[in-house]
Each structure stands twice: as structure tokens, then as C-alpha cells.
Amino acid sequence: VFGVLSMIFWAITLIVSIKYMLLVLRADNDGEGGILALLALVLRQIPAAGPVRQAAVGAGLLGAAMFFGECVVTPAISVLSAAEGLQVVSPAFGPYVIPLTLIVLIALFVLQSRGTATVGRAFGPIMLVWFLAVGLLGLLQIVSHPQVLLALDPLYALRYAAAEPGKTFFALGAVFLALTGVEALYADIGHLGAHPVRAAWFWLVMPCLILNYFGQGALVLSDSKAAASPFFLLAPTGLQLPLVLLATAATVIASQAVISGAFSIASQAIKLGFLPRMQTDYTSETEAGQIYIPMVNFMLLVVVIVLVLGFGSSSNLAAAYGLAVASTIVVTTLGVSIIARFNWDWSPWRVLATFVPLLAIELMFVAANSAKIPNGGWFPIAFAVVLYVVFTTWKRGRSLVNRQLKKGGVELGPFLKSLSLYPPQRVEGTAVFMTLELGYVPHALLHNLKHNRVMHERVVFLTAISRTVPHVDPAYMTEIQDLGDGCYAVKVMLGFQDPFDVTFFLGVLTRYHDFELIPAETSFFLSRQAVVLGATSSMSSWRRRLFGWMLRNAQPASDFFRIPPNRAIEIGAQVVI
């Protein structure tokens, strides 16, 4: 008992308190956190294309995929384990555990559309009561058996490992469960801010957790039978049912953390070009990081329900839990070590002295959790692999489409000169042509001239570029070039947390360039590509079909850029890849 308690305490201290709270939260990308925000920071240190950059992107995407693997298991195991407390109160509740778990989970995912701030106002007081309650229950046992505090000495963990190396190896897989929410904590700083997270951890969460874990240890030392369910048996019989209800509420809120983190990571992936466009609702008028993505919410709910029904108990799910987030934690350590060396100007020796010991501990956790693969650990890994394939397929497919469009495109400069020689009919109004490449004529314009034989008085070629920073200063967000004869090239550079909203960045044009475009009085022309499989390609046919399916089901660009519905005109184009 002393050996395991010592491992829990020092794992929490080294990984959560020192690594994440003091180091990782410093590696924010203008206030945004999570593995993809970290990847964007790392890529700024590796500007040139090549194997090093490809390896960094691959590691970052794998870490993001593993994080989603955690996101599906966390709500299932958290709520299910809390509901199983009913069986401690009375075995008669056994048949109702799974139905109750499903009801709670469905209600949780339905609530997501209300937004982080709304949910947080309701959940905050519950979490305060929860941590104070679990801390107090642990403290009461520690007062009765204070010798358990001897386990704060790391020598107990080392002696246990030396005496029982085989048992220690498997115990590490269980000890790691005390750390599994830490990556969601990093992803959520865009919703909450780093300072409130640190304050809550050091002043409330960590002390109460340590008191509770050591209280459970004290209980087991006094009564070995309590090892069957030490947490719920901390409470007197009359308080066990209220503790179950409070635990259920708390695990719902813990699940909220990873769900919010999933929305943040998915939004970053969309704007960095690793996922197709999806409907994204901004649920706060003041905080850009508070978002809701209906498709991600629905997919998570489906997979979580499948896990609850498929595994049936939290002990079975525990075998599926740990490896995915342990792998993500390792990737985060590697990324932050690069940031420490180049952004924080740490010496190589300081980087090695800080991160090599942490990496060694985390790799032990990865190894210990790998033993779970045959018993269910394969599921989050398989889920992560599927997502990794989706990320890389979308990125590769978009690059092939852009290459083909550029290869068969018409350069804009010569095209405009030819129009001055053979001018088409000009009509009143402003037309905005959304384009991926400013130097080439948008396909929508070519088709419009071919079929309608007219051009508007004022023509704007607009391209929106996502930068690897969360926000771009509006003063430097837009560039405008007068191409002559009423034609203009406009480039908008947006951070991956800036709103991709034409009303927003056209307002920036008016403010900083005195170039007024009123969305309600402007026609927006967009091209919508359809993929046709070519005879030869650098991408396999099944991946091209997958990309084509994602392209067909992506949110229309008119919706993604929030163009007024009655002002958008989409023109289709086939692209052979």
C-alpha cells in the first residue's frame, strides 16, 4: 500500500504539478493549448520542408489522434464507475447501472450546445463541493491512521519496485489512471486560461486528491476487505448514496473537460487543414475559444455508448484506458522540450536535465499500459489510428487538389490583360471570388464568363489563409492590391481561433483600408470541387475515395465563411487526382 501510494503521489507531483502546471502551460500559443497548438509552435522552429518537419507533423497528428482516443473512453469509464457505486450501497441496484450511465451520458452530450460558460456556471459549485468532500473523507481516515503519510517518501516506491518488479510494472498501469485528465487540462486553457487552472490545481484539486488517495490507503491498511471499493467505503453507510450521486455529477463534469478539449482540437485541425470544414458554433460573445461542433459531439456520443455497452463495467474499461493518453503525454514532452530550447532560450543541458527524466517516467507508463492492449487497450489505439488516417488523407488530398488546380489554372495577370483587349459586358455591383491561389483565375470566374458572358463593375479576388497562430492582429490581417480596371486582390490572414466570417474580415478591410464591401449587397462566387479518380496517382485509390467522401460531406464554404445565404453562388468543378 505504501509503495503504490508513493507512486501515485510522485507521479502527480512530477507529471501534473511540475511538468504540466509549471512547464507545459507556459507553452501556450497566444493563450491556446492542446497538442495541435503546440505543433503550430514547434513548426515555427522548423520552417523548411523536409523529413524533420514531416516527422514533427506526424508526431503532432498522432498525439492529437491519441487525445481523441482518450476523449471517447473518459466519459464512458468516469460515469460508469460512479454509477457502479450504487452496487456498493445495495446489490439490488446492479441491473440499473448501465441504463443510468447511458441516460447521464446522453444528457451530458445534449447539454454541450449550451456552451462552456453556461455549463461551467452550473458545474463550478458542484466541483468545489466534490473536492472538499473527497478531501475531507480522506482526511478523516488519515487522522485515524497517520502512519500512512510515511508513503510521501519516494523510497517506498523505489523499494516496492526493487522487491516486486513484476507487480510494479502492472501497478504502473493502474497508477497512471490518476493522471489521465492532464492532457485535456492543457487543451482547455483556451476555454479557461492558464492562471485559473494553476490556482485551482495547487490550492484545491491536488491537496484534496492526495488526501483522498492517502485516506483510501489508510482504510485498506485498517480493513483489507475495503480494497474491493475503497473510495465509496470511505463514507459512512448513511452517506454512501449521496456520495454516489455527487461522484456521478463530478464525473460528468470531468467528462466535460475532455469534450471541450475535443472541440478545441477539432477546430484547430479544421483551420490548420487536417480536417474538412464542419459546422462550428461560437457559444460566447467574448471568448473565441468557447465553441461547439455538433458533428464531433454526435460522433463522440455514439462511440461512448458503444464502449459502455461493449465493455459493460469500469474494470473492463480500465483495461482500455491509459495507452492513448500516455502516448500523447510523451509527444507533448518532446514538443515542449523543443519550445524550451528555442523559444525560452534554455541551454541544451538544462533541456536534457529537465525533460529526459520526465520522458523516462512517461515511457515506463507507456510500457505498462501496453500490457492492456489484448484486454481492451486496442480500442482507443484503433480509434486513434483511424483518426490519423483521416487527418493525413484530408491533408494529402487537399494538396493534390490544389496542385491539380494550379497545374491546369490560368495565371491572373495575363488573363486580366486579355480582358482589357476583349472586354466582356460589365454589370453593376460587386462580385467576390473566393480563391485558394491569388495568382490564378478562380474557376468560378471562368465558368461565369463562359456561361453568362458578364463581369461585375468591381471584382474582388479574395483568399483567406490560416496561420499557425491563434489570432492575427486586425491591423495586419488584410492586404489589398489594386489590379486595375475595377479588379482587386485581397488576402486575409487569420489565426486558427479567429472567426472565419466574411462580415468580420470585410469589416477589417473597411476599417484599415477604407475599402468598403457590404456583404448584403455583394455577390460571392465559390468553387465546389468534386474528385474524379485518375488512372495514376501518388495516393492509393481507397484513400482517394475516402478523401472524395469527406470533400462531398464537408460543410459548404458559404456556411463556413458565414456568407449570407442569398448572396452565395457555388459553381462546381471536377478535379482528377
Side-chain angles (χ1 to χ4, degrees):
V1 170
F2 278 25
V4 172
L5 285 176
S6 185
M7 285 193 288
I8 291 174
F9 174 77
W10 286 103
I12 289 175
T13 300
L14 294 171
I15 303 301
V16 185
S17 296
I18 294 177
K19 176 192 161 182
Y20 274 86
M21 292 297 166
L22 301 183
L23 297 175
V24 174
L25 293 195
R26 286 181 60 193
D28 67 292
N29 197 337
D30 289 348
E32 292 298 325
I35 193 71
L36 289 184
L38 180 61
L39 172 62
L41 279 175
V42 170
L43 291 181
R44 291 183 213 168
Q45 310 304 325
I46 316 171
V52 175
R53 187 180 177 90
Q54 289 178 351
V57 171
L61 291 181
L62 184 61
M66 291 291 186
F67 175 78
F68 278 102
E70 177 194 7
C71 287
V72 295
V73 182
T74 296
I77 190 173
S78 299
V79 178
L80 184 55
S81 64
E84 285 173 348
L86 290 171
Q87 294 174 298
V88 177
V89 177
S90 171
F93 285 114
Y96 304 102
V97 169
I98 295 296
L100 175 62
T101 300
L102 294 177
I103 290 170
V104 170
L105 286 169
I106 291 170
L108 170 64
F109 281 92
V110 169
L111 276 175
Q112 294 307 310
S113 61
R114 302 288 183 90
T116 305
T118 302
V119 174
R121 280 193 294 271
F123 285 174
I126 298 174
M127 291 309 292
L128 181 62
V129 173
W130 162 253
F131 283 114
L132 291 176
V134 298
L136 179 61
L137 288 173
L139 180 61
L140 293 175
Q141 288 294 329
I142 293 172
V143 169
S144 301
H145 303 86
Q147 71 273 19
V148 77
L149 293 176
L150 293 172
L152 293 171
D153 186 346
L155 290 177
Y156 281 99
L158 297 175
R159 289 169 185 161
Y160 181 62
E164 300 282 358
K167 290 182 180 180
T168 302
F169 178 78
F170 288 102
L172 282 173
V175 168
F176 187 75
L177 296 177
L179 309 175
T180 48
V182 71
E183 195 63 31
L185 174 153
Y186 178 39
D188 276 338
I189 61 172
H191 293 258
L192 307 170
H195 179 69
V197 169
R198 287 194 189 100
W201 173 257
F202 285 113
W203 290 102
L204 175 69
V205 178
M206 182 181 178
C208 292
L209 286 179
I210 297 302
L211 286 173
N212 188 265
Y213 284 128
F214 276 68
Q216 290 183 54
L219 177 64
V220 172
L221 286 172
S222 63
D223 181 7
S224 60
K225 294 180 181 179
S229 186
F231 174 77
F232 288 108
L233 291 175
L234 281 175
T237 304
L239 294 179
Q240 285 177 357
L241 181 57
L243 182 61
V244 170
L245 298 177
L246 183 59
T248 302
T251 52
V252 165
I253 298 166
S255 303
Q256 172 68 38
V258 294
I259 296 169
S260 298
F263 294 154
S264 294
I265 298 296
S267 176
Q268 294 172 21
I270 292 167
K271 292 176 180 178
L272 291 172
F274 297 116
L275 280 177
R277 294 183 301 268
M278 286 184 272
Q279 178 185 339
T280 302
D281 299 331
Y282 292 85
T283 59
S284 171
E285 295 181 358
T286 57
E287 297 293 334
Q290 294 186 9
I291 57 175
Y292 166 67
I293 304 178
M295 179 58 70
V296 172
N297 192 61
F298 175 74
M299 292 178 68
L300 289 177
L301 173 60
V302 170
V303 178
V304 166
I305 289 175
V306 168
L307 280 171
V308 171
L309 295 176
F311 283 84
S313 71
S314 61
S315 58
N316 291 338
L317 270 171
Y321 200 29
L323 182 57
V325 68
S327 303
T328 308
I329 286 174
V330 169
V331 174
T332 298
T333 299
L334 295 173
V336 175
S337 66
I338 295 173
I339 301 305
R341 176 68 184 94
F342 296 103
N343 284 35
W344 304 343
D345 295 323
W346 283 20
S347 68
W349 291 111
R350 186 180 179 186
V351 171
L352 291 174
T354 302
F355 291 101
V356 168
L358 290 172
L359 190 61
I361 295 170
E362 291 164 359
L363 289 175
M364 285 193 294
F365 281 125
V366 170
N369 280 288
S370 297
K372 299 178 179 181
I373 290 177
N375 300 316
W378 59 268
F379 183 89
I381 300 301
F383 187 76
V385 168
V386 170
L387 282 179
Y388 182 81
V389 170
V390 169
F391 289 152
T392 54
T393 298
W394 180 256
K395 188 69 172 179
R396 178 62 178 159
R398 288 304 311 177
S399 67
L400 289 178
V401 167
N402 294 343
R403 184 188 303 172
Q404 288 298 106
L405 290 174
K406 195 171 182 179
K407 182 179 178 181
V410 178
E411 292 190 16
L412 186 59
F415 175 79
L416 293 178
K417 287 182 180 178
S418 69
L419 290 183
S420 64
L421 297 176
Y422 305 98
Q425 179 73 31
R426 304 295 287 259
V427 296
E428 292 183 359
T430 300
V432 172
F433 289 88
M434 306 287 288
T435 177
L436 295 172
E437 292 282 348
L438 275 180
Y440 290 83
V441 183
H443 279 67
L445 175 57
L446 293 174
H447 284 285
N448 188 51
L449 282 172
K450 178 180 179 180
H451 295 289
N452 299 323
R453 305 178 189 277
V454 296
M455 276 183 66
H456 288 72
E457 282 181 329
R458 188 166 63 158
V459 177
V460 178
F461 302 103
L462 177 66
T463 184
I465 300 171
S466 180
R467 301 285 301 277
T468 56
V469 295
H471 302 286
V472 174
D473 186 335
Y476 304 101
M477 184 175 285
T478 53
E479 297 177 2
I480 186 168
Q481 179 184 1
D482 188 346
L483 303 175
D485 202 21
C487 297
Y488 302 87
V490 175
K491 181 162 66 173
V492 181
M493 289 160 288
L494 297 161
F496 55 75
Q497 288 294 335
D498 287 324
F500 279 50
D501 185 331
V502 294
T503 303
F504 168 68
F505 48 76
L506 293 185
V508 173
L509 272 177
T510 303
R511 180 179 176 185
Y512 290 97
H513 298 280
D514 197 25
F515 188 81
E516 187 174 12
L517 280 173
I518 302 173
E521 299 176 3
T522 303
S523 297
F524 292 85
F525 290 82
L526 306 99
S527 297
R528 188 174 181 90
Q529 293 92 19
V531 168
V532 177
L533 300 186
T536 59
S537 176
S538 58
M539 190 162 71
S540 59
S541 59
W542 70 266
R543 291 187 73 189
R544 284 181 285 163
R545 289 190 179 92
L546 173 60
F547 172 73
W549 177 82
M550 288 192 288
L551 189 64
R552 288 192 302 274
N553 289 279
Q555 183 186 25
S558 55
D559 293 342
F560 184 73
F561 288 101
R562 303 194 175 192
I563 297 171
N566 60 342
R567 308 306 303 177
I569 302 164
E570 286 195 345
I571 298 176
Q574 288 189 335
V575 181
V576 179
I577 63 171

